[in-house]
Amino acid sequence: EAGVVQSPRYKIIEKKQPVAFWCNPISGHNTLYWYRQNLGQGPELLIRYENEEAVDDSQLPKDRFSAERLKGVDSTLKIQPAELGDSAVYLCASSPAYSGNTIYFGEGSWLTVV
Amino acid sequence: KQEVTQIPAALSVPEGENLVLNCSFTDSAIYNLQWFRQDPGKGLTSLLLIQSSQREQTSGRLNASLDKSSGRSTLYIAASQPGDSATYLCAVEGSQGNLIFGKGTKLSVKP
């Protein structure tokens, strides 16, 4: 069974440019998460979806970040415009259902803003 | 606000040694606790999930314990191997259904 797939793996952009990350969760997983991980830190939640509904986006910087999960499967996270402080790893994860389940992570999308 | 702390931040041991990684959390009202492993340049792999009603979970050479009342969990690794070298992260799930992570312990097992 395929795991959580993310693309691109690596991206280098200039500040003020837009960037988008794509995630394909494990088949049948209703819950999808986007986390951001800075160097030497643990991941921090940006947004959580239950099917196509964003149920927790309290940590998403809505002035420049947006996300969508069409048809409750794939998801896209966008940053526009990017700032130097956005350099981080963006991790997508999925689980069968909300709460109490093992969470499966993708390998991450590594963003460098120069 | 829930805070998760992991001690030590880094640990180096010779191969074959048994070791313990520590995790503490400030709010004992958790649903579960998970231990993850992260290899350099990779995502996180779930190792063990302990529900709030459980005291411990075991998988192979790994044993994780949970003491909710004291806000502590430990990950015990028996007979460590060089392949165990990685960063180990602890995360707790609270009432909002989100995982709060510690900063991790970077483990190095020397041959």
Side-chain angles (χ1 to χ4, degrees):
Chain A
E1 181 181 303
V4 177
V5 179
Q6 293 187 244
S7 69
R9 286 295 320 278
Y10 305 95
K11 192 76 175 179
I12 301 174
I13 61 171
E14 295 183 344
K15 61 182 180 182
K16 301 184 181 179
Q17 294 301 306
V19 63
F21 305 113
W22 173 81
C23 173
N24 178 243
I26 293 174
S27 177
H29 282 194
N30 296 325
T31 305
L32 183 146
Y33 312 78
W34 281 102
Y35 283 86
R36 177 169 60 187
Q37 185 176 26
N38 293 307
L39 189 65
Q41 304 292 315
E44 295 181 331
L45 181 72
L46 291 174
I47 190 169
R48 173 168 62 94
Y49 283 93
E50 297 295 333
N51 298 305
E52 63 272 13
E53 182 181 359
V55 296
D56 185 353
D57 62 357
S58 58
Q59 301 301 313
L60 189 72
K62 298 182 182 63
D63 57 336
R64 298 183 300 107
F65 286 64
S66 64
E68 61 181 7
R69 189 182 185 195
L70 298 176
K71 300 180 180 179
V73 182
D74 294 359
S75 178
T76 302
L77 177 69
K78 298 179 181 178
I79 308 174
Q80 182 171 10
E83 298 180 350
L84 295 177
D86 296 332
S87 296
V89 181
Y90 292 84
L91 294 162
C92 180
S94 70
S95 65
Y98 158 73
S99 188
N101 292 276
T102 297
I103 293 180
Y104 299 84
F105 281 82
E107 294 201 325
S109 292
W110 295 67
L111 174 65
T112 300
V113 182
V114 297
Chain B
K1 178 183 176 184
Q2 179 75 270
E3 293 184 0
V4 180
T5 302
Q6 291 189 245
I7 295 174
L11 180 64
S12 181
V13 301
E15 181 177 1
E17 192 163 296
N18 302 326
L19 58 99
V20 174
L21 307 181
N22 296 293
C23 171
S24 61
F25 45 95
T26 55
D27 185 351
S28 61
I30 65 170
Y31 283 174
N32 60 62
L33 182 145
Q34 295 191 48
W35 282 93
F36 292 87
R37 168 183 173 143
Q38 186 172 32
D39 293 285
K42 302 291 186 180
L44 283 70
T45 300
S46 181
L47 297 173
L48 290 165
L49 167 66
I50 310 176
Q51 302 290 354
S52 61
S53 58
Q54 298 174 319
R55 298 282 293 186
E56 66 178 332
Q57 281 286 347
T58 298
S59 176
R61 295 182 294 107
L62 306 179
N63 176 275
S65 67
L66 173 63
D67 184 342
K68 276 184 54 178
S69 60
S70 66
R72 294 180 181 180
S73 175
T74 61
L75 179 66
Y76 175 82
I77 303 178
S80 59
Q81 303 171 357
D84 295 331
S85 297
T87 296
Y88 291 81
L89 295 112
C90 161
V92 297
E93 179 181 341
S95 59
Q96 300 300 316
N98 301 322
L99 288 180
I100 307 296
F101 284 84
K103 294 182 179 181
T105 294
K106 186 175 182 179
L107 173 65
S108 176
V109 181
K110 306 293 187 183

